[in-house]
Amino acid sequence: RGARSDDSELPPYMVGENDLFHVWWDFIGFFFVLHSSIVPPVILGFEVPDTTSVRVTELVVDSYFLADIVVTFRTCTEDAETKRLETDWWVLARRYLLGWFFIDFISSVPWNEVEAALLGKNSDERFPAEVLHFIRLLKLIKVARLVRVLRNKAFQELECVFGARRAARARSTLNPLSLSLSLPPSLSR
């Protein structure tokens, strides 16, 4: 029950990890992850004021990641042991809950908006700044999702659309595990 080895239809409201919808969902998410890896450190490091445009942008990004939680719950994945597509919703939910769910949830909730809703915008009470900064930094963990997206078989099939050389270059350039923090030889003397 729940595992399939053929290409038969998926249960209602389920999507395969290599389906076209999921490939495009991850492709769009790739840019939100890039945003999340650049903008929060800039906001925290340079103490950028919390303007309306910053808040709206962060709400859009957080909304995508909250929707991604729902999509992830409904994504059928290949079982590592049997190499069959797992379609049992409870098995998939359990895997996700024991894996990325906590990090995804904590880093996707717009905590500034939650604080404003719970305490009021003019309240003297606030969440400790360190807690909000820590939660914003949790968003950086989403960079690890780049690896998942770049390793997705269907994402690799986009090479046909963009050209094999360009896609391979983009994959090697954007893979966070391939980044090196060492200085070039000319600067290390």
Side-chain angles (χ1 to χ4, degrees), residues 78-120:
E78 186 178 273
D79 186 279
E81 295 172 9
T82 65
K83 302 294 183 203
R84 297 179 73 181
L85 190 63
E86 181 60 63
T87 59
D88 185 349
W89 187 83
W90 292 106
V91 172
L92 295 168
R94 183 174 182 271
R95 278 187 202 160
Y96 185 46
L97 286 169
L98 295 175
W100 279 91
F101 175 76
F102 180 73
I103 292 169
D104 285 350
F105 181 76
I106 294 297
S107 63
S108 297
V109 172
W111 292 105
N112 289 342
E113 303 304 318
V114 170
E115 177 186 45
L118 291 176
L119 303 175

Side-chain angles (χ1 to χ4, degrees), residues 11-26:
Y13 307 108
M14 298 293 283
V15 62
E17 64 183 344
N18 293 321
D19 287 355
L20 186 60
F21 167 80
H22 204 275
V23 172
W24 282 106
W25 182 259
D26 280 348

Side-chain angles (χ1 to χ4, degrees), residues 25-119:
W25 182 259
D26 280 348
F27 186 72
I28 293 166
F30 175 81
F31 294 103
F32 284 121
V33 170
L34 283 177
H35 167 86
S36 295
S37 67
I38 296 168
V39 174
V42 169
I43 289 173
L44 292 175
F46 294 105
E47 297 179 6
V48 175
D50 198 18
T51 63
T52 302
S53 62
V54 169
R55 292 177 78 189
V56 168
T57 303
E58 292 303 308
L59 274 174
V60 169
V61 171
D62 290 340
S63 297
Y64 170 84
F65 286 122
L66 286 170
D68 187 56
I69 290 172
V70 174
V71 170
T72 303
F73 267 118
R74 305 306 291 179
T75 300
C76 300
T77 58
E78 186 178 273
D79 186 279
E81 295 172 9
T82 65
K83 302 294 183 203
R84 297 179 73 181
L85 190 63
E86 181 60 63
T87 59
D88 185 349
W89 187 83
W90 292 106
V91 172
L92 295 168
R94 183 174 182 271
R95 278 187 202 160
Y96 185 46
L97 286 169
L98 295 175
W100 279 91
F101 175 76
F102 180 73
I103 292 169
D104 285 350
F105 181 76
I106 294 297
S107 63
S108 297
V109 172
W111 292 105
N112 289 342
E113 303 304 318
V114 170
E115 177 186 45
L118 291 176
L119 303 175

